[in-house]
Amino acid sequence: MAKRKTRVSGGLPPSVDAAPLAPWPLIDRYPSVLGSQISLQTVSATLRLCQTGYRQQYVDLLGELLEREPHGYAVLSQRILNVAGGRLEIAPAKCAPGSTDERRAQELADEVAADIHAIPDLRQSLAALLWAIYYGVCGAEIAWTRDESRWKPQRLHFVHSRRIAYPDPATWRVHIWDQGLVRGWEQPIDAPTQGIYGLPVDEFPGKFVIHAPQLRGEYPTRDGLGRELIWWFVLKSIGARGAAEYLERFGKPWAIGYASTQPDGKPRAANDDDMRAANAALAALGVGSLAGAVLPNSVQVHLMGPAFSSGRIGMSHEHWLAICNSEISKCVRGQTFTTESTNYGSRSTADVGQSGELRLAAYDADCIAETLRRDLITPMMRLNHPDEVRLCPRIIVHVEDEPDPAQRLELAVKGAQANLPIDADAMADEVGLPLVAKPEGEESKPRRMVPLSAMKPADALVMSEPQLLRVRLPSEQDNDEQERGAPRGEGDGEGTEQGQGGHPRRPDGTWANAVADS
């Protein structure tokens, strides 16, 4: 039988067989699904098994619970995608200023940045690794390629968390272990990830990225937010199941009629026939099959239970589900101000909550950055520049929003008013403002931002080193015109020292504008 070829078509995801060591196993088509059998006892047994290093059943249970938990998925995806969508910067290694190493470190950082940003589906790969926040451990296999200049990472292949295990009782070595069929029958049956304990990752340095952030100060087999959330996911699913059963049972009213047992309308003492009718009605009510009943008025039907009176429940299912959502939000995001609508919040409270979320995102970003530097960039340096590993570039994931250009310009104006030496050309480039060209031969001279109100007109005419970009605020111009008694924008400029909107006259008879000539 001819062997199938591995193809990668443009616009399509790569073949799962493109990862030579850990291709997607066929056995992973059939994860364990417990359904309605999930209980607190099931959770305890699964956690005990995971602590021994066998994580497959634990990851399957977390995945099944997450499928039924929209609120939990929402808060988790927000925390994960905030980091995965952050700005990725490849920074040079820290060296002594002005040294040869500093220049070389910048060259290496530019080289690595070009190769990293060329990896296809990089954001998706980062998001897949960041799900270790929930599962505890996630991984990817690096596919390498080489051109005429150097080795480059071609792609990061997804490795499901259920395949990552710590099964060897004598060590803490991480393995990729597939406990079933990996390839089809037409291909070789044995695979590196099969067999006893599967594939030890440390025997293939530079081939895998293993992300295991320490969130609870625990070992990898007991870390991750999944161990915190699994209980509330199960309790919430029990509450949601009870809410559905309650709706099915009590969603429609029961038609119960009471027949008079005596001519005067007063109930008589219940006899055996009355008791049998009452028992039949209560039995049907208990299993939820009662649609209606006619009972003698010698018996009465009352619904009783904990916190249940007059047909109303003290704690409703809605209240219980809200409690579960609140605990889930606190576990993942650290607060509920930005995830739920409440009647006691304020904008300042929400700002505090957002600042706390930013700290969580910064920690998650630092963790994934250190993992990528250890498992991806350091192998790149060892392959291409083995004598310069000490200059290995750093990865920085920026999770903060970039400042608004208007806010940056306002800050620069305030700095100029405080007599700070603000570079006008650099600021204009950052905020996207065009400036007039510099005079010929003076392109290298800096121009400093200085507000007109901070100097006398005569001083403005003689200052040329460095060239000045003087910022005049509209409110300042209005104040000057009001002091002169002239309307805004007026001035004949004939025989006066002020004109052209209040700008000073130069000695040569021209009017000074916002940008001083040299």
Side-chain angles (χ1 to χ4, degrees):
M1 182 178 296
K3 184 177 180 180
R4 291 183 299 178
K5 294 182 179 180
T6 300
R7 296 182 301 140
V8 179
S9 303
L12 296 177
S15 168
V16 297
D17 296 329
L21 290 182
W24 293 4
L26 296 181
I27 190 62
D28 274 12
R29 289 177 175 268
Y30 315 103
S32 57
V33 178
L34 299 179
S36 60
Q37 299 179 3
I38 296 178
S39 63
L40 298 180
Q41 291 83 356
T42 306
V43 171
S44 298
T46 305
L47 293 179
R48 283 194 297 269
L49 181 62
C50 180
Q51 289 180 180
T52 65
Y54 296 85
R55 302 180 59 257
Q56 186 180 92
Q57 290 79 5
Y58 169 69
V59 175
D60 288 347
L61 180 57
L62 287 181
E64 183 178 354
L65 289 172
L66 194 62
E67 291 176 359
R68 310 176 186 178
E69 182 42 54
H71 180 82
Y73 171 76
V75 293
L76 280 167
S77 62
Q78 282 180 338
R79 178 166 174 175
I80 290 168
L81 298 183
N82 282 345
V83 179
R87 181 168 58 90
L88 197 64
E89 177 188 357
I90 309 298
K94 294 182 179 180
C95 303
S99 63
T100 305
D101 283 348
E102 184 183 35
R103 293 189 294 272
R104 181 55 179 162
Q106 184 61 57
E107 295 174 358
L108 293 174
D110 295 339
E111 174 186 299
V112 170
D115 295 343
I116 293 296
H117 290 296
I119 298 176
D121 304 326
L122 179 60
R123 296 294 179 181
Q124 295 184 38
S125 299
L126 291 180
L129 289 171
L130 283 164
W131 274 101
I133 294 172
Y134 176 60
Y135 292 109
V137 186
C138 286
E141 181 178 354
I142 307 172
W144 294 94
T145 184
R146 181 176 174 81
D147 58 14
E148 64 279 359
S149 60
R150 60 184 180 272
W151 286 95
K152 300 178 181 179
Q154 186 180 30
R155 179 176 287 275
L156 298 179
H157 292 281
F158 173 67
V159 176
H160 200 289
S161 182
R162 77 191 302 265
R163 306 174 63 190
I164 302 175
Y166 299 82
D168 189 348
T171 68
W172 280 97
R173 300 171 69 191
V174 59
H175 294 68
I176 298 178
W177 188 16
D178 296 318
Q179 304 172 45
L181 187 65
V182 175
R183 301 188 177 97
W185 296 107
E186 71 277 7
Q187 298 184 14
I189 297 179
D190 57 335
T193 54
Q194 287 179 298
I196 299 178
Y197 301 156
L199 183 148
V201 171
D202 58 353
E203 292 185 2
F204 298 87
K207 187 57 179 169
F208 293 95
V209 178
I210 301 296
H211 185 47
Q214 198 169 31
L215 303 177
R216 302 173 60 244
E218 274 285 2
Y219 293 107
T221 55
R222 300 195 291 270
D223 216 319
L225 295 183
R227 295 184 71 93
E228 302 284 343
L229 294 171
I230 190 169
W231 300 102
W232 288 102
F233 283 0
V234 173
L235 291 173
K236 184 181 176 182
S237 67
I238 294 173
R241 188 187 314 157
E245 294 174 352
Y246 180 86
L247 180 63
E248 182 181 10
R249 173 183 279 187
F250 303 111
K252 295 181 180 180
W254 303 310
I256 299 179
Y258 290 97
S260 204
T261 54
Q262 296 188 117
D264 58 1
K266 295 181 180 181
R268 59 173 168 78
N271 55 29
D272 292 341
D273 293 335
D274 297 341
M275 296 299 297
R276 282 191 291 269
N279 286 331
L282 293 176
L285 181 64
V287 298
S289 62
L290 179 66
V294 177
L295 300 174
N297 63 354
S298 59
V299 294
Q300 297 289 329
V301 176
H302 297 284
L303 298 178
M304 304 296 294
F308 194 106
S309 62
S310 302
R312 300 186 62 85
I313 303 178
M315 175 182 285
S316 64
H317 291 91
E318 181 182 6
H319 188 194
W320 171 246
L321 296 180
I323 292 176
C324 293
N325 286 339
S326 176
E327 297 301 311
I328 292 169
S329 297
K330 293 173 186 176
C331 178
V332 179
R333 308 299 296 273
Q335 42 79 29
T336 61
F337 307 123
T338 60
T339 59
E340 299 171 27
S341 176
T342 60
N343 297 324
Y344 52 84
S346 63
R347 179 167 183 175
S348 60
T349 304
D351 291 342
V352 172
Q354 288 181 345
S355 65
E357 287 184 355
L358 199 58
R359 294 188 184 95
L360 287 176
Y363 177 77
D364 295 337
D366 288 344
C367 288
I368 190 66
E370 290 298 327
T371 295
L372 293 176
R373 187 174 191 240
R374 179 197 66 211
D375 293 345
L376 180 59
I377 294 185
T378 299
M380 291 174 63
M381 292 292 295
R382 287 174 176 165
L383 288 171
N384 298 319
H385 308 283
D387 297 332
E388 297 178 306
V389 177
R390 59 188 174 82
L391 301 179
C392 181
R394 300 171 293 125
I395 290 187
I396 303 174
V397 181
H398 298 276
V399 294
E400 304 90 351
D401 293 333
E402 293 189 7
D404 183 71
Q407 295 177 349
R408 301 184 70 174
L409 183 59
E410 181 181 359
L411 183 62
V413 171
K414 292 181 178 179
Q417 290 176 335
N419 202 26
L420 297 178
I422 307 297
D423 190 329
D425 296 285
M427 177 55 59
D429 290 340
E430 291 181 9
V431 301
L433 288 178
L435 298 181
V436 296
K438 295 181 180 180
E440 185 177 356
E442 299 183 2
E443 291 82 359
S444 61
K445 290 185 178 181
R447 292 190 283 192
R448 174 181 173 184
M449 292 179 59
V450 178
L452 281 177
S453 59
M455 63 182 69
K456 298 178 181 179
D459 296 335
L461 297 177
V462 299
M463 297 181 68
S464 60
E465 290 294 338
Q467 289 180 308
L468 304 177
L469 177 65
R470 297 190 295 279
V471 179
R472 188 177 185 84
L473 302 179
S475 59
E476 299 168 351
Q477 180 175 327
D478 292 343
N479 294 336
D480 293 345
E481 292 169 347
Q482 291 176 3
E483 293 176 0
R484 295 195 311 270
R488 180 178 179 181
E490 293 186 0
D492 55 6
E494 296 293 337
T496 64
E497 291 301 319
Q498 297 291 337
Q500 300 291 332
H503 295 299
R505 184 196 294 271
R506 290 195 181 96
D508 61 358
T510 60
W511 299 100
N513 53 24
V515 181
D517 297 331
S518 60

